[in-house]
Each structure stands twice: as structure tokens, then as C-alpha cells.
Amino acid sequence: MNPVAVTLGLTGLAALHVGPAATWLPVVRRALPRLAGIGATDHVALTFDDGPDPRSTPLFLDELERIGCRATFFVLGELLERHPDLGRRIVAGGHEMAVHGWRHHNALLTRPGRAAAEIGAAADLVTAVTGVRPTWYRPPYGVLSAETLIAARGSRLRPVLWTAWGRDWTESATPASVLAALAPGLRGGATLLLHDSDHTSAPGAWRSALGALPEIVGLCRSARLSIGPLRDHRVDRPLIRQFGEPAGSGRT
């Protein structure tokens, strides 16, 4: 076999595998509005990653109940498996649960097949714990791969990232810094990314998001924007269509 052809073939496969990871870049996400989570112009989607964590998630649920707001929680399977009652509380509170994977691993750095298996396992666990099949998948670090896109499709999950984040995972994060980071993107159609756990963040970093939460919701409402889960955001079609799903396939 021609070694040049083999090299070119392997290079092509590698490019196919890592190509979707470019969507982590803001300039790429802007060109893919469904992936970025751009929705209805009168609505803001509020999302949280990395839970459920018994030390912090209940505090977010209490605060969201106090201010009368619902959200989408992207959970890790390994944490949901440990704390299924907390997962049930999330859904019982009117919130939406979505898949963040099983562990917080970069899909490009895991062995072939692992990411796909873990996405399916996490989706099945969410269904078993809550009785509700999840709709959304957000990859750890926002890094997609060809494998995770195919796995998401197989589990009937719609990949979605974010349009604005609070940078609330750092040791120096404060409620004021979270608001400042979100402010440029706090507009109708936005999908906001925050964290209800420090599972993969600086210890206690979640307090910055919790402290900023009432003002985030208040700013949206003062601008006459509703704020809530992705299920109400009216993101019209899944990303997989943009990566080559045939027109007319009927998938939603």
C-alpha cells in the first residue's frame, strides 16, 4: 500500500474527527446559530453545567424558586448516579435536565468509543432517574468531535453550546465579574452558561454564579425578556443537519 496514500487517509480521518471542535471558537459558533443556542428574540436561555452537586445545586434550586425562574441543568452522569434524588428534585422543580457527558473529559483526548458510550449511558440515566428523556447535549469544555456528534444523534440529543458565559469557574470569580462577563451577550436569543458546581472548577467558584443570579434574571426581566430553560427557547433545528444530515430526514 502506498505510504503517502495511507498518510493522507489517516490525516483526513483525523481532520474529520477533530473538525467539529472548531465550534468552540466564538467566530465559528456565530456562523452556526443553532449550535450556539440562539433562540427567540424575546427569550434568554439560562443553563448550568457540571452538577448535580449536593453542596451547591440545592442552593441554586432554592434561589431559582425564590425568584420564580426555571433553567436547564447539564448534568454529569457520574454525579447523577451518586445523587439521583437531587436529579429528581431538579425536574420536580420545573427545570429541564440535559446531558453533559458521564465524566468531564475532553472528547478529543479520550479513546475511540468511550465518549459515545458515555453519552448514551448519561442519556439513559437521566431518563431512568427522572422519567423524562433529555433533549440537549453540551460537551465538556464545549469540544465536539465527529464521534460525539454521531453519538448525540444516536441518543436523540441536540448539541448546543452557548452565546455568553460568566467565567464563573475561576478562583477570582465574583458576582460582579460574572455579570461583567455576561453583559456584552445579555440580549434576546442568548444562551447563558453558568455552573452550579465546582466539580471541575476552583473550589467554591459556584458562589459567584449564585450571587449573580438574581441580578441576571432581573436585568432580563427589566428588558422585557423572558428567561428560562432551553425547551422554551425555540431553537428550531438540531446541529446535525448543519453537519450533513439530508434534507427532509424528519429529525427534530
Side-chain angles (χ1 to χ4, degrees):
M1 184 176 293
N2 187 327
V4 174
V6 171
T7 299
L8 289 174
L10 292 174
T11 300
L13 288 173
L16 179 65
H17 175 63
V18 305
T23 56
W24 185 87
L25 300 169
V27 65
V28 178
R29 286 203 307 279
R30 283 194 291 270
L32 297 167
R34 300 180 193 111
L35 170 62
I38 296 176
T41 57
D42 60 350
H43 188 265
V44 172
L46 179 63
T47 73
F48 296 96
D49 284 7
D50 292 1
D53 189 326
R55 299 168 301 165
S56 52
T57 303
L59 300 177
F60 282 83
L61 295 175
D62 289 345
E63 184 63 12
L64 288 166
E65 182 64 27
R66 186 186 72 82
I67 59 182
C69 184
R70 303 294 177 261
T72 299
F73 287 80
F74 284 86
V75 301
L76 293 169
E78 64 170 341
L79 297 185
L80 181 61
E81 186 177 50
R82 294 178 208 165
H83 312 293
D85 289 347
L86 187 48
R88 285 187 281 269
R89 182 184 167 189
I90 289 172
V91 173
H95 306 286
E96 181 179 37
M97 193 178 296
V99 172
H100 199 35
W102 191 268
R103 296 176 179 85
H104 205 276
H105 289 161
N106 187 322
L108 300 183
L109 303 178
T110 59
R111 60 175 173 76
R114 179 173 180 173
E118 292 191 347
I119 289 169
D124 289 345
L125 180 61
V126 169
T127 305
V129 167
T130 68
V132 179
R133 187 74 186 176
T135 299
W136 309 99
Y137 167 65
R138 176 181 288 152
Y141 306 105
V143 175
L144 288 163
S145 68
E147 179 182 335
T148 58
L149 282 172
I150 293 169
R153 180 180 184 179
S155 293
R156 303 190 304 278
L157 297 171
R158 296 174 59 173
V160 65
L161 299 180
W162 60 86
T163 64
W165 60 9
R167 297 186 178 274
D168 55 341
W169 61 88
T170 66
E171 186 176 0
S172 61
T174 66
S177 74
V178 169
L179 287 166
L182 286 175
L186 199 58
R187 60 175 66 93
T191 290
L192 309 183
L193 167 58
L194 296 168
H195 297 79
D196 63 305
S197 168
D198 60 7
H199 181 65
T200 61
S201 306
W206 53 267
R207 292 184 174 88
S208 62
L210 181 63
L213 191 52
E215 190 161 354
I216 293 169
V217 173
L219 287 171
C220 290
R221 289 172 173 168
S222 66
R224 297 187 177 181
L225 297 171
S226 60
I227 179 168
L230 277 163
R231 66 174 175 238
D232 299 334
H233 202 44
R234 304 199 295 280
V235 180
D236 59 345
R237 290 287 295 168
L239 170 65
I240 197 73
R241 178 73 168 272
Q242 299 183 29
F243 276 83
E245 181 178 281
S249 67
R251 292 189 64 86
T252 58

